Amino acid sequence: MAKKEWKPGNMLYPVPAVLVTSRSADGKDDVCTVAWAGTVCTNPPMVSISLRKSRLTYDYVSETGVFVINLTTEKLARATDFCGVRSGRDLDKFAEMQLTKEEAAHISCPMLAESPVSIECEVTEAKDLGSHTMFLAEVKAVHADEACLDEQERFDLMRAHPIVYSHGAYCSLGKQLGTFGWSVRKKKSSGKPRMNRKIKSVKKRK
């Protein structure tokens, strides 16, 4: 396969398009779209978001040290785009996009009721990287929509129809191709074939 070399740039796609909610020190709320977000550690559970210093969310997170990551869905696609191109300095994005605020349980910050998953985060470190500042944060709690639980009470995000961001476009996710470890997992043989073989051998002896 032939590849063309381009200059260095951000081409790690797709990435999650999340709605980050935050609150200022004097109690004002904001919501903005963040594409530079990800998991960084399992134990303790930690995530990161990277924000430009010009964003209002940057000011609020810097002031209070907390924020909430809200996963997005196809139904939230328009709000996800809107909250990424409009500033909370100019209008109330919650009201404009009819987003419902819910109070977080362990930090002073709003969550989005329309999101299937809301992750409460507390900043442990802010690292200035250049155009963006990366906020490393410990997860304090996760809130998951019960409508996304399967018959075994396991969370199934695909039921919420999540979206991702890929080089300027919002995309829905396709079909599941496998689960973790499926490429090396041994197939379990059922008892039925073994029973059939046993029956045949008995008939031969007769």
Side-chain angles (χ1 to χ4, degrees):
M1 181 185 297
K3 290 189 174 73
K4 184 176 181 179
E5 182 178 335
W6 290 349
K7 65 178 182 180
N10 292 320
M11 286 297 293
L12 183 61
Y13 291 110
V15 293
V18 299
L19 287 168
V20 173
T21 45
S22 58
R23 177 172 291 160
S24 67
D26 58 358
K28 296 177 182 177
D29 295 335
D30 186 47
V31 53
C32 81
T33 306
V34 174
W36 310 147
T39 298
V40 295
C41 189
T42 299
N43 188 21
M46 295 188 69
V47 294
S48 72
I49 60 171
S50 291
L51 302 171
R52 291 184 181 274
K53 297 179 181 66
S54 59
R55 303 299 295 268
L56 182 61
T57 295
Y58 171 87
D59 294 339
Y60 287 5
V61 173
S62 297
E63 288 174 9
T64 63
V66 296
F67 59 89
V68 174
I69 293 176
N70 302 274
L71 301 193
T72 55
T73 66
E74 292 178 14
K75 289 183 178 180
L76 287 170
R78 186 170 181 272
T80 302
D81 182 63
F82 185 90
C83 293
V85 296
R86 298 299 297 271
S87 173
R89 296 185 178 93
D90 304 323
L91 75 170
D92 183 347
K93 289 186 276 188
F94 294 95
E96 288 288 329
M97 290 292 101
Q98 298 181 337
L99 296 172
T100 308
K101 289 191 260 187
E102 293 181 329
E103 195 64 23
H106 300 275
I107 60 176
S108 178
C109 191
M111 306 186 299
L112 295 181
E114 292 79 8
S115 173
V117 177
S118 297
I119 306 169
E120 298 187 40
C121 306
E122 185 173 19
V123 176
T124 60
E125 181 182 353
K127 193 173 182 65
D128 188 348
L129 299 174
S131 63
H132 290 66
T133 296
M134 180 177 66
F135 293 92
L136 291 170
E138 184 171 347
V139 174
K140 309 307 290 184
V142 177
H143 303 265
D145 189 345
E146 292 182 352
C148 293
L149 299 181
D150 64 15
E151 294 72 16
Q152 285 74 43
E153 294 293 307
R154 294 173 302 191
F155 185 76
D156 181 5
L157 183 60
M158 296 303 289
R159 294 188 176 199
H161 305 289
I163 60 174
V164 294
Y165 181 76
S166 182
H167 202 56
Y170 299 97
C171 307
S172 60
L173 295 181
K175 63 181 180 180
Q176 179 177 292
L177 302 178
T179 57
F180 180 76
W182 69 276
S183 62
V184 296
R185 191 176 298 123
K186 293 182 179 179
K187 292 183 179 180
K188 293 182 179 179
S189 19
S190 64
K192 190 173 182 180
R194 289 195 296 270
M195 181 65 70
N196 289 340
R197 288 195 297 270
K198 184 177 181 181
I199 292 173
K200 288 180 181 180
S201 64
V202 170
K203 287 182 177 180
K204 285 180 181 180
R205 284 200 296 271
K206 289 182 177 179

